Amino acid sequence: MSRSTAEVKNWMTMFRWIVKVIRDDYGIDEAKLTRHAQLETELGLGLEQVEDVLRIIDESFGIRFPEGTLDEVLRLEELCMLASWLKGFYKQPDFISGGFAATCRAANPGMP
């Protein structure tokens, strides 16, 4: 189910939007939802839950996370930066590999 994204205009509001999804859907204390928090080990999200978060972002923003995303993204900040880049709110993140960047562009042909 897609969620309202009307307030999301840049990477900072994207981060806040993702924090709210994780907090509200998985009951994780907002104090744990810091930039450097690792999605699985520090937040305690299971693989299926992280995949659900990706799906929610996909559907809400009309972007596609390609296969292999969870090999590139470990922390909350990385997820936010990648989603922001795919949506056109941020530059290409430094942490992603060149091959994965090409895969992202192929999955999202309308990227700026």
Side-chain angles (χ1 to χ4, degrees), residues 8-64:
V8 180
K9 306 285 187 217
N10 57 46
W11 72 268
M12 292 178 352
T13 53
M14 173 75 82
F15 181 85
R16 184 74 188 130
W17 188 92
I18 293 170
V19 163
K20 286 179 182 178
V21 167
I22 295 171
R23 179 196 67 199
D24 295 349
D25 285 18
Y26 301 101
I28 295 178
D29 184 357
E30 195 162 338
K32 291 183 175 181
L33 294 166
T34 64
R35 292 177 31 207
H36 300 290
Q38 291 186 354
L39 297 168
E40 292 182 56
T41 57
E42 293 178 353
L43 298 181
L45 295 173
L47 180 60
E48 186 175 301
Q49 292 171 318
V50 176
E51 289 172 344
D52 284 344
V53 171
L54 294 180
R55 182 187 47 73
I56 291 166
I57 297 168
D58 277 353
E59 292 173 359
S60 297
F61 289 95
I63 58 176
R64 298 294 163 250

Side-chain angles (χ1 to χ4, degrees), residues 7 23 76 88:
E7 299 295 318
R23 179 196 67 199
L76 185 54

